[in-house]
Amino acid sequence: MPFGRSKSTAAENTSADPVDSEGARSESGGSEAGKGRPTPKRADARKARRMAGTSGGAAGRGGSGADARARARAERQRQREALLTGDERNLPPRDAGPEKRLARDVIDAKWTVGQIFILVVFVEFVLAAFVDSRPVQEVLNLAGPISLLVIGVDSYRHGRAAKNAVAAKFGAGRTQGVATYAFVRAMLPRRFRRPPPKVARGGTPL
């Protein structure tokens, strides 16, 4: 029976995994490449290619993201400067366009109650802080809400006027957001408006 065991052992060796046999041959000195080092295994080669591709892609994406952030910062800086100088070429989308320019001119050409809003608030604060009189306090309690109501109504009226002017010049289809834009601008004191006014009070919108 030793002969039988020897035969089965030979069969097991013959049915061994061909991949392992190939890997053993590749690691032997007889299959060395001409470069003086053993040929790498197929799995190792694939892993190396994946790592190289991943690192290269990450580097590319990182560089692209940095460039995009730099461009966005430069664009925001240009928009901030345009709001201060009135440069219409670089205004943010909220203020850009001939419709918004006309709305600004309509508001800036008129006197609005919102221009004295800060003065009204300051006077009310001083009176409330330093005048210890019940009648004065009662008047101030009514003056605050009334002044806000008057400013709101006046700003709404000017916002509608700006929207009508834009509709008359450019058409009703180009008035979206104009009334609200003009309403907010009418509530601000003239010196705090951005972009700065380009039409004198009492002048004609351009």
Side-chain angles (χ1 to χ4, degrees), residues 3 30 58 62 94 106 139 157 174 178 184 188 193 198:
F3 178 77
R94 183 198 64 179
V106 170
V139 170
R157 182 171 61 87
R174 297 175 64 176
V178 170
V184 174
L188 296 174
R193 294 172 182 172
K198 292 189 175 182

Side-chain angles (χ1 to χ4, degrees), residues 112-134:
T112 65
V113 180
Q115 294 180 233
I116 62 172
F117 174 69
I118 293 181
L119 177 62
V120 171
V121 172
F122 178 75
V123 171
E124 291 179 355
F125 174 77
V126 171
L127 291 176
F130 296 101
V131 177
D132 189 12
S133 171
R134 183 167 183 176

